[in-house]
Amino acid sequence: MVNNKSGGLNFGKLTEEDVKYQYITPAIENAGWDKSQLKFEFAFTDGKMHIKGQKGYRGAKKRADYLLLYKPSIPIAVVEAKDMNHAFDDGIQQALGYAKTLGIPFAYSTNGKSFMEHNRLTGEVKELSMSEFPSPETLWQRYKKSKNITPEEEEIITEPDYYDPISKKKPRYYQRKAINRTIEAIAQGKNRILLVMATGTGKTFTAFQIAYKLWNAGMKKKILYLADRNILIDQTMVQDFKPFEKVMTKIKHKDLDSSYEIYFSLYQQLVNNNEHEKQPYQEFSPDFFDLIIVDECHRGSAKDDSQWRRILEYFHSATQIGMTATPKEDKEISTTGYFGEPLYTYSLKKGINDGFLAPYRVKRIGLDVDLDGYRPEKDKVDINGKLIEDREYNVLDFDRKIIIDDRTKVVAQKVTEYLKRTDRFGKTIVFCVDQEHALRMRHALINENQDLVAENDRYIMRITSDDVEGKRQLDYFIDTDEKYPTIVTTSELLSTGVDCKTCKLIVLDNNIESMTKFKQIIGRGTRLRPDYGKYYFTIMDFRGSTKKFADPEFDGLPEKDDSGDGNGRGGPRGPRGPKEHDEQAWGPGEKYRVNDVKVRAILEKNLCFDAEGNLITENLISFSKDNILNEYRSLDEFIHHWNELEKKQAITEELYEHNVFLEELREAAGNDDMDDFDLICHIAFDKKPLTRAERANNVKKRDYLNKYEGVARKVLEGLLDKYATDGIGDLESIEFLENDPFRQYGSPMKIAKEFGGKSQLQNALHDLQREIYAD
């Protein structure tokens, strides 16, 4: 305890940590909360991943000072702490924001003298003394009363999670919200539930925890997991649902065995094509299943007259949970019409901002033939001697009605150029118009990558539904430890349900008219794997499909399509020929093909999106200048702020949060050798930039290093050389001493002694930074 001169307590000198340790934690513990119910500095996000060059760095995590748990799976309150220079209720807005995000009913703020309580169930706020903080049982009883939870329902709601002591995997905060809301809704009698969670956010893990808790509580003993693709079933069984392995089975050959408890099945295994015959699912009684989980429920099960829907209607008494990243609404298909409005939604945008999903870059490439169209000269015949109909063909026709060989070649060249600049072994999916186009694209990519194909012919593979060998390679493609295949071409097969965590590049060379399909395809890249060098993913768009990012439906509610054909293909058709061109006699798979039309890439744009997913203005430099000037009104103010900060990356993070993307700016400015400092000064304050090498040489010319000798001088000279090539990063931490070329001088401790100790070494680094940026 700190005493003032008069002998009284000097509360103003107590830090927030002092107040927590001396006053807040004891008050909470005295109310009956044991250590298993208290989480200190609880981080519930990972911190948004920011892109820097080919790598990334994390932003700050969101942390609650205290998370209070009634049971290990039931968070019930958050407490935000302040020091005694603040009022006791200064943190209530922050606590309330965390409580809303986490789905927690009670929020508290305190400075160690009093508590402010906000009851989100009733809206009531009140002040409490430090001795009046409620016990766990008090808060739980208030929650139960507000929600009208019966003792029978309470037993189900409080069922523990499944916990694997080996993986130690626990639900993230949004998964916890989805799990608890679902369990509570089912316990209280709700039988149709829709959960909407962005691709890559763990829908199957969430589904498993829901199924396990209901099964273990004895409420749902017979469970059916439905999907329409084998990979969705197989991945789920060997991964998230593996704890059920002794009681689960996969239905094959339409063979139904009633002795199991957990069933996995394709829709196709439960129906016959002949609607007049007895259906396989009718081998079970209508009340056989207690719970049905429908994966990717936006597809067949959402259509009123589908055979798949009949399965769900037959087992109508079962609780049915639909799970999807992309609910769909049009004239014939309605996900919400069957399952109801989403009980919980976790969007792509939220996942990126929380740091659980990968951010993305967009590279849009315009080909002259796509932008201008192609019209054959009179009496033009294709390579097979067939007369080509005289009309203008455009991007909707290419590879669907007419093949231009050089167009395929240019796409393959551009993809290869990008991979050579970044990572030739970065997993890549190229989405094509159809299976035949995917085969031709594979051949074109092979020709552009002959060196790597010669090393391993699986470097580029086609994976489509009719390619048996390609489908065999799918497991290798999605395996994080397998190098091959690296590039795959596909049409529909990989557009959904394929969990390729290391996919770095998605190439769009198909016409995507459905928002649902667009979302699903983009979802192939959203997994984050920094441990495998994946900090973000790139979308390379040849057909303008990424314009759908501007659609308000992209990250919102299900697409509404009242004008379409029932397959998500509503809206204007775009520039086309007269309608009869679509209705001409056209043989199955028959296309014109020409090999004497030259194609060029005439437009390339690197597009930047802000934190809300909105496209930033085309004039990136002007837009960025305005945002920098909003933060720093003058060059002097910026330089002062730069020099004051020990870690310059903090400025990069601040600017990123205000939509200033330095890597994209550096590319737009056309100078890769500019330091972040010079780039900002140049863009915002019109100051002539110096290269990193010029700044390093200026330090040497000023004989700044003469005051050091021996190893100390060699270390600083080496740092200047590294700065000239790599930037300021190594000067912000002494960890560089463990790497070449510095390890030749001995251990970090030994090197620090050459400077007089660790603190003197750090002072030398700070002085060197100031010297680098001196005028």
Side-chain angles (χ1 to χ4, degrees), residues 229-232 234-235 427-429 458 461-465 467-480 482 484-486 488-490 492-502 524:
R229 296 190 181 181
N230 263 312
I231 190 169
L232 296 176
D234 296 340
Q235 283 180 349
K427 296 280 186 172
T428 300
I429 306 176
R458 294 191 301 126
M461 297 291 294
R462 179 181 75 152
I463 300 180
T464 55
S465 59
D467 191 324
V468 176
E469 180 55 33
K471 284 197 291 185
R472 288 197 188 105
Q473 298 299 319
L474 181 54
D475 286 343
Y476 296 103
F477 178 67
I478 64 179
D479 190 327
T480 54
E482 290 289 338
Y484 303 105
T486 301
V488 300
T489 65
T490 190
E492 293 285 344
L493 187 62
L494 303 188
S495 64
T496 184
V498 176
D499 186 9
C500 184
K501 295 180 175 66
T502 55
R524 299 314 101 208

Side-chain angles (χ1 to χ4, degrees), residues 328-334 559-562 566-568:
K328 188 171 184 179
E329 304 292 323
D330 62 32
K331 284 185 175 180
E332 297 182 19
I333 299 176
S334 174
E559 60 174 316
K560 302 289 183 180
D561 183 0
D562 295 327
N567 292 307

Side-chain angles (χ1 to χ4, degrees), residues 73 379 475 632 670 719 754:
S73 62
D379 298 327
D475 286 343
Y632 310 105
L719 267 177
E754 296 289 335

Side-chain angles (χ1 to χ4, degrees), residues 319-338:
T319 298
Q320 298 176 10
I321 302 173
M323 306 196 73
T324 181
T326 53
K328 188 171 184 179
E329 304 292 323
D330 62 32
K331 284 185 175 180
E332 297 182 19
I333 299 176
S334 174
T335 314
T336 59
Y338 184 78

Side-chain angles (χ1 to χ4, degrees), residues 43-168:
F44 54 91
T45 71
D46 275 2
K48 183 177 180 179
M49 182 65 73
H50 300 298
I51 303 170
K52 187 173 180 64
Q54 299 303 319
K55 295 187 177 181
Y57 62 90
R58 293 279 190 187
K61 296 181 179 182
K62 290 184 179 178
R63 297 177 185 272
D65 285 333
Y66 296 85
L67 176 71
L68 277 55
L69 304 147
Y70 174 65
K71 297 284 187 182
S73 62
I74 303 179
I76 198 166
V78 291
V79 181
E80 185 61 26
K82 297 294 180 185
D83 63 36
M84 290 184 178
N85 290 318
H86 290 80
F88 74 97
D89 57 352
D90 273 1
I92 196 63
Q93 290 294 340
Q94 189 174 356
L96 188 58
Y98 290 163
K100 287 179 179 177
T101 298
L102 296 169
I104 289 174
F106 300 100
Y108 295 88
S109 169
T110 180
N111 63 355
K113 296 180 180 179
S114 299
F115 285 100
M116 169 61 78
E117 177 187 85
H118 186 120
N119 183 339
R120 294 185 59 236
L121 301 168
T122 64
E124 179 188 11
V125 294
K126 63 181 178 182
E127 182 179 355
L128 305 173
S129 71
M130 297 303 289
S131 63
E132 290 178 313
F133 194 81
S135 69
E137 198 59 41
T138 297
L139 288 187
W140 180 244
Q141 292 301 324
R142 289 164 67 184
Y143 181 79
K144 283 201 306 178
K145 182 178 179 181
S146 176
K147 293 287 188 175
N148 295 316
I149 296 173
T150 68
E152 294 75 19
E153 293 165 357
E154 179 182 11
E155 189 173 345
I156 297 164
I157 292 168
T158 56
E159 182 67 34
D161 293 335
Y162 176 84
Y163 177 69
D164 180 0
I166 297 175
S167 70
K168 298 183 179 179

Side-chain angles (χ1 to χ4, degrees), residues 21 37 119 253 259 297 316 335 390 461 519 548 611 652 664 682 731:
Y21 176 73
Q37 295 174 296
N119 183 339
H253 312 300
S259 63
C297 67
H316 63 88
T335 314
D390 180 16
M461 297 291 294
K519 289 179 181 179
K548 282 185 166 53
T652 303
E664 285 75 7
H682 174 60
L731 278 72

